[in-house]
Amino acid sequence: MTPIPSRLGPYEIIALLGSGGMGEVYRARDPRFRREVAVKVLPGDFAADPERLKRFEHEARAVGALNHPNILTVHDLGTEGGTPYLVTELLEGSTLRERLSRGALPLAKLFEWATQIANGLAAAHEHGIVHRDLKPENVFVTQDGRVKILDFGLARLGVGHDGPVGTTLTMTEVGVTIGTAGYMAPEQVRGKPVDVRADLFSFGCLLYEMLAGKRAFPGET
């Protein structure tokens, strides 16, 4: 694992929150505003990979174009010593996956959270952004019950849209499958072009899991 830095730009690193294929996330402090934030860093070996770096910048552009209470808020984007980083609001709570590990949701809670997910998706779609990887791991529930959609690293921008995004940026070519098994729409599984309907399929999978307490499509492939 990459050694934990003491500072990235103006941000004072406090602790490592987690790591995965798309980077490492740290709890940090922004002394200028006296607030704690989350800093997502692309590790050195990944930063040297043009494709991974492109996806990292892609996520920043995708989320930065949005301003909605049900989508993770981006504060800043920068580079320190050749290390690119993304600064977002710091969330306290748990992922939907962690909550579902305890079983199905009560109906009232299901409707409350599902409505917030739908509102966040609608805002993204209005900006021409298709998430393409909606799953319980990418939905966060804060301690006060606010639902946030995370991780737009696989998103597709500007699909049939002339709004604020202003361009078409496709991270994958036709014939390449990208996403998570069990939540991808059939056309996405086949590597075909997707639009907002792919997110609606994934949302349906989420609803099923929230109601039944088990995945709609549990297969590994």
Side-chain angles (χ1 to χ4, degrees), residues 22-39:
M22 291 298 292
E24 299 169 348
V25 181
Y26 298 94
R27 177 188 292 267
R29 182 176 182 273
D30 185 347
R32 299 168 301 177
F33 297 97
R34 298 181 180 179
R35 67 183 175 189
E36 290 194 351
V37 296
V39 179

PDB file of all heavy atoms in Angstrom, residues 22-39:
ATOM      1  N   MET A  22      -9.985   1.795  -7.555  1.00  0.00           N
ATOM      2  CA  MET A  22      -9.965   3.137  -8.122  1.00  0.00           C
ATOM      3  C   MET A  22      -9.216   4.140  -7.256  1.00  0.00           C
ATOM      4  O   MET A  22      -9.184   5.319  -7.557  1.00  0.00           O
ATOM      5  CB  MET A  22     -11.389   3.634  -8.361  1.00  0.00           C
ATOM      6  CG  MET A  22     -12.115   2.906  -9.472  1.00  0.00           C
ATOM      7  SD  MET A  22     -11.314   3.097 -11.078  1.00  0.00           S
ATOM      8  CE  MET A  22     -11.573   4.841 -11.397  1.00  0.00           C
ATOM      9  N   GLY A  23      -8.571   3.690  -6.170  1.00  0.00           N
ATOM     10  CA  GLY A  23      -7.785   4.608  -5.374  1.00  0.00           C
ATOM     11  C   GLY A  23      -7.905   4.393  -3.889  1.00  0.00           C
ATOM     12  O   GLY A  23      -8.498   3.416  -3.422  1.00  0.00           O
ATOM     13  N   GLU A  24      -7.306   5.309  -3.130  1.00  0.00           N
ATOM     14  CA  GLU A  24      -7.341   5.278  -1.681  1.00  0.00           C
ATOM     15  C   GLU A  24      -8.059   6.530  -1.189  1.00  0.00           C
ATOM     16  O   GLU A  24      -7.926   7.598  -1.781  1.00  0.00           O
ATOM     17  CB  GLU A  24      -5.919   5.226  -1.120  1.00  0.00           C
ATOM     18  CG  GLU A  24      -5.159   3.981  -1.567  1.00  0.00           C
ATOM     19  CD  GLU A  24      -3.676   4.045  -1.229  1.00  0.00           C
ATOM     20  OE1 GLU A  24      -3.205   5.144  -0.858  1.00  0.00           O
ATOM     21  OE2 GLU A  24      -3.008   3.012  -1.331  1.00  0.00           O
ATOM     22  N   VAL A  25      -8.819   6.391  -0.107  1.00  0.00           N
ATOM     23  CA  VAL A  25      -9.588   7.511   0.427  1.00  0.00           C
ATOM     24  C   VAL A  25      -9.110   7.817   1.836  1.00  0.00           C
ATOM     25  O   VAL A  25      -9.021   6.911   2.680  1.00  0.00           O
ATOM     26  CB  VAL A  25     -11.098   7.203   0.437  1.00  0.00           C
ATOM     27  CG1 VAL A  25     -11.864   8.396   0.980  1.00  0.00           C
ATOM     28  CG2 VAL A  25     -11.582   6.866  -0.967  1.00  0.00           C
ATOM     29  N   TYR A  26      -8.798   9.085   2.083  1.00  0.00           N
ATOM     30  CA  TYR A  26      -8.299   9.521   3.383  1.00  0.00           C
ATOM     31  C   TYR A  26      -9.254  10.523   4.023  1.00  0.00           C
ATOM     32  O   TYR A  26      -9.914  11.302   3.341  1.00  0.00           O
ATOM     33  CB  TYR A  26      -6.936  10.218   3.232  1.00  0.00           C
ATOM     34  CG  TYR A  26      -5.843   9.335   2.680  1.00  0.00           C
ATOM     35  CD1 TYR A  26      -5.565   9.303   1.319  1.00  0.00           C
ATOM     36  CD2 TYR A  26      -5.065   8.543   3.526  1.00  0.00           C
ATOM     37  CE1 TYR A  26      -4.552   8.506   0.811  1.00  0.00           C
ATOM     38  CE2 TYR A  26      -4.048   7.734   3.019  1.00  0.00           C
ATOM     39  CZ  TYR A  26      -3.798   7.722   1.661  1.00  0.00           C
ATOM     40  OH  TYR A  26      -2.807   6.929   1.167  1.00  0.00           O
ATOM     41  N   ARG A  27      -9.301  10.484   5.344  1.00  0.00           N
ATOM     42  CA  ARG A  27      -9.915  11.572   6.111  1.00  0.00           C
ATOM     43  C   ARG A  27      -8.860  12.673   6.213  1.00  0.00           C
ATOM     44  O   ARG A  27      -7.692  12.409   6.532  1.00  0.00           O
ATOM     45  CB  ARG A  27     -10.315  11.095   7.501  1.00  0.00           C
ATOM     46  CG  ARG A  27     -10.896  12.213   8.388  1.00  0.00           C
ATOM     47  CD  ARG A  27     -11.089  11.711   9.817  1.00  0.00           C
ATOM     48  NE  ARG A  27     -12.128  10.709   9.883  1.00  0.00           N
ATOM     49  CZ  ARG A  27     -13.408  10.958  10.155  1.00  0.00           C
ATOM     50  NH1 ARG A  27     -13.795  12.214  10.389  1.00  0.00           N
ATOM     51  NH2 ARG A  27     -14.290   9.989  10.193  1.00  0.00           N
ATOM     52  N   ALA A  28      -9.258  13.897   5.904  1.00  0.00           N
ATOM     53  CA  ALA A  28      -8.302  15.005   5.926  1.00  0.00           C
ATOM     54  C   ALA A  28      -8.968  16.254   6.497  1.00  0.00           C
ATOM     55  O   ALA A  28     -10.191  16.316   6.653  1.00  0.00           O
ATOM     56  CB  ALA A  28      -7.769  15.271   4.521  1.00  0.00           C
ATOM     57  N   ARG A  29      -8.148  17.253   6.766  1.00  0.00           N
ATOM     58  CA  ARG A  29      -8.644  18.520   7.295  1.00  0.00           C
ATOM     59  C   ARG A  29      -8.245  19.643   6.352  1.00  0.00           C
ATOM     60  O   ARG A  29      -7.098  19.716   5.904  1.00  0.00           O
ATOM     61  CB  ARG A  29      -8.074  18.779   8.693  1.00  0.00           C
ATOM     62  CG  ARG A  29      -8.591  20.069   9.339  1.00  0.00           C
ATOM     63  CD  ARG A  29      -8.068  20.199  10.758  1.00  0.00           C
ATOM     64  NE  ARG A  29      -8.604  21.401  11.406  1.00  0.00           N
ATOM     65  CZ  ARG A  29      -8.046  22.596  11.311  1.00  0.00           C
ATOM     66  NH1 ARG A  29      -6.924  22.759  10.610  1.00  0.00           N
ATOM     67  NH2 ARG A  29      -8.588  23.634  11.922  1.00  0.00           N
ATOM     68  N   ASP A  30      -9.201  20.490   6.054  1.00  0.00           N
ATOM     69  CA  ASP A  30      -8.946  21.679   5.256  1.00  0.00           C
ATOM     70  C   ASP A  30      -8.832  22.854   6.227  1.00  0.00           C
ATOM     71  O   ASP A  30      -9.848  23.352   6.726  1.00  0.00           O
ATOM     72  CB  ASP A  30     -10.097  21.903   4.268  1.00  0.00           C
ATOM     73  CG  ASP A  30      -9.832  23.067   3.332  1.00  0.00           C
ATOM     74  OD1 ASP A  30      -8.895  23.846   3.594  1.00  0.00           O
ATOM     75  OD2 ASP A  30     -10.571  23.209   2.335  1.00  0.00           O
ATOM     76  N   PRO A  31      -7.601  23.302   6.522  1.00  0.00           N
ATOM     77  CA  PRO A  31      -7.432  24.363   7.521  1.00  0.00           C
ATOM     78  C   PRO A  31      -8.024  25.697   7.093  1.00  0.00           C
ATOM     79  O   PRO A  31      -8.329  26.541   7.937  1.00  0.00           O
ATOM     80  CB  PRO A  31      -5.905  24.453   7.679  1.00  0.00           C
ATOM     81  CG  PRO A  31      -5.365  23.950   6.387  1.00  0.00           C
ATOM     82  CD  PRO A  31      -6.318  22.873   5.961  1.00  0.00           C
ATOM     83  N   ARG A  32      -8.208  25.894   5.802  1.00  0.00           N
ATOM     84  CA  ARG A  32      -8.747  27.166   5.323  1.00  0.00           C
ATOM     85  C   ARG A  32     -10.193  27.352   5.756  1.00  0.00           C
ATOM     86  O   ARG A  32     -10.635  28.466   6.048  1.00  0.00           O
ATOM     87  CB  ARG A  32      -8.650  27.236   3.798  1.00  0.00           C
ATOM     88  CG  ARG A  32      -7.216  27.146   3.260  1.00  0.00           C
ATOM     89  CD  ARG A  32      -7.212  26.922   1.771  1.00  0.00           C
ATOM     90  NE  ARG A  32      -7.917  25.689   1.421  1.00  0.00           N
ATOM     91  CZ  ARG A  32      -8.118  25.287   0.158  1.00  0.00           C
ATOM     92  NH1 ARG A  32      -7.679  26.023  -0.849  1.00  0.00           N
ATOM     93  NH2 ARG A  32      -8.754  24.157  -0.085  1.00  0.00           N
ATOM     94  N   PHE A  33     -10.959  26.251   5.763  1.00  0.00           N
ATOM     95  CA  PHE A  33     -12.369  26.329   6.141  1.00  0.00           C
ATOM     96  C   PHE A  33     -12.651  25.631   7.479  1.00  0.00           C
ATOM     97  O   PHE A  33     -13.798  25.541   7.906  1.00  0.00           O
ATOM     98  CB  PHE A  33     -13.248  25.714   5.045  1.00  0.00           C
ATOM     99  CG  PHE A  33     -13.172  26.443   3.739  1.00  0.00           C
ATOM    100  CD1 PHE A  33     -12.336  25.998   2.728  1.00  0.00           C
ATOM    101  CD2 PHE A  33     -13.924  27.591   3.527  1.00  0.00           C
ATOM    102  CE1 PHE A  33     -12.257  26.679   1.516  1.00  0.00           C
ATOM    103  CE2 PHE A  33     -13.852  28.273   2.327  1.00  0.00           C
ATOM    104  CZ  PHE A  33     -13.014  27.822   1.315  1.00  0.00           C
ATOM    105  N   ARG A  34     -11.571  25.091   8.086  1.00  0.00           N
ATOM    106  CA  ARG A  34     -11.695  24.400   9.372  1.00  0.00           C
ATOM    107  C   ARG A  34     -12.752  23.297   9.314  1.00  0.00           C
ATOM    108  O   ARG A  34     -13.627  23.196  10.184  1.00  0.00           O
ATOM    109  CB  ARG A  34     -12.020  25.399  10.491  1.00  0.00           C
ATOM    110  CG  ARG A  34     -10.942  26.436  10.693  1.00  0.00           C
ATOM    111  CD  ARG A  34     -11.285  27.390  11.832  1.00  0.00           C
ATOM    112  NE  ARG A  34     -10.239  28.384  12.012  1.00  0.00           N
ATOM    113  CZ  ARG A  34     -10.273  29.356  12.926  1.00  0.00           C
ATOM    114  NH1 ARG A  34     -11.318  29.433  13.751  1.00  0.00           N
ATOM    115  NH2 ARG A  34      -9.294  30.226  13.018  1.00  0.00           N
ATOM    116  N   ARG A  35     -12.663  22.497   8.274  1.00  0.00           N
ATOM    117  CA  ARG A  35     -13.606  21.390   8.118  1.00  0.00           C
ATOM    118  C   ARG A  35     -12.849  20.134   7.720  1.00  0.00           C
ATOM    119  O   ARG A  35     -11.755  20.202   7.135  1.00  0.00           O
ATOM    120  CB  ARG A  35     -14.650  21.703   7.043  1.00  0.00           C
ATOM    121  CG  ARG A  35     -14.083  21.784   5.635  1.00  0.00           C
ATOM    122  CD  ARG A  35     -15.146  22.166   4.621  1.00  0.00           C
ATOM    123  NE  ARG A  35     -14.550  22.342   3.292  1.00  0.00           N
ATOM    124  CZ  ARG A  35     -15.200  22.848   2.245  1.00  0.00           C
ATOM    125  NH1 ARG A  35     -16.467  23.214   2.380  1.00  0.00           N
ATOM    126  NH2 ARG A  35     -14.605  22.978   1.074  1.00  0.00           N
ATOM    127  N   GLU A  36     -13.438  19.000   8.046  1.00  0.00           N
ATOM    128  CA  GLU A  36     -12.871  17.723   7.620  1.00  0.00           C
ATOM    129  C   GLU A  36     -13.486  17.323   6.285  1.00  0.00           C
ATOM    130  O   GLU A  36     -14.675  17.574   6.034  1.00  0.00           O
ATOM    131  CB  GLU A  36     -13.116  16.637   8.677  1.00  0.00           C
ATOM    132  CG  GLU A  36     -12.293  16.850   9.930  1.00  0.00           C
ATOM    133  CD  GLU A  36     -12.259  15.626  10.819  1.00  0.00           C
ATOM    134  OE1 GLU A  36     -13.007  14.654  10.554  1.00  0.00           O
ATOM    135  OE2 GLU A  36     -11.469  15.630  11.790  1.00  0.00           O
ATOM    136  N   VAL A  37     -12.670  16.712   5.433  1.00  0.00           N
ATOM    137  CA  VAL A  37     -13.093  16.318   4.095  1.00  0.00           C
ATOM    138  C   VAL A  37     -12.567  14.913   3.810  1.00  0.00           C
ATOM    139  O   VAL A  37     -11.796  14.351   4.583  1.00  0.00           O
ATOM    140  CB  VAL A  37     -12.551  17.292   3.024  1.00  0.00           C
ATOM    141  CG1 VAL A  37     -13.132  18.686   3.218  1.00  0.00           C
ATOM    142  CG2 VAL A  37     -11.020  17.332   3.064  1.00  0.00           C
ATOM    143  N   ALA A  38     -13.002  14.347   2.698  1.00  0.00           N
ATOM    144  CA  ALA A  38     -12.465  13.080   2.217  1.00  0.00           C
ATOM    145  C   ALA A  38     -11.609  13.379   0.991  1.00  0.00           C
ATOM    146  O   ALA A  38     -12.020  14.137   0.119  1.00  0.00           O
ATOM    147  CB  ALA A  38     -13.592  12.117   1.858  1.00  0.00           C
ATOM    148  N   VAL A  39     -10.426  12.797   0.953  1.00  0.00           N
ATOM    149  CA  VAL A  39      -9.513  13.001  -0.170  1.00  0.00           C
ATOM    150  C   VAL A  39      -9.273  11.659  -0.849  1.00  0.00           C
ATOM    151  O   VAL A  39      -8.751  10.729  -0.226  1.00  0.00           O
ATOM    152  CB  VAL A  39      -8.169  13.605   0.281  1.00  0.00           C
ATOM    153  CG1 VAL A  39      -7.240  13.782  -0.915  1.00  0.00           C
ATOM    154  CG2 VAL A  39      -8.389  14.944   0.976  1.00  0.00           C
TER     155      VAL A  39
END
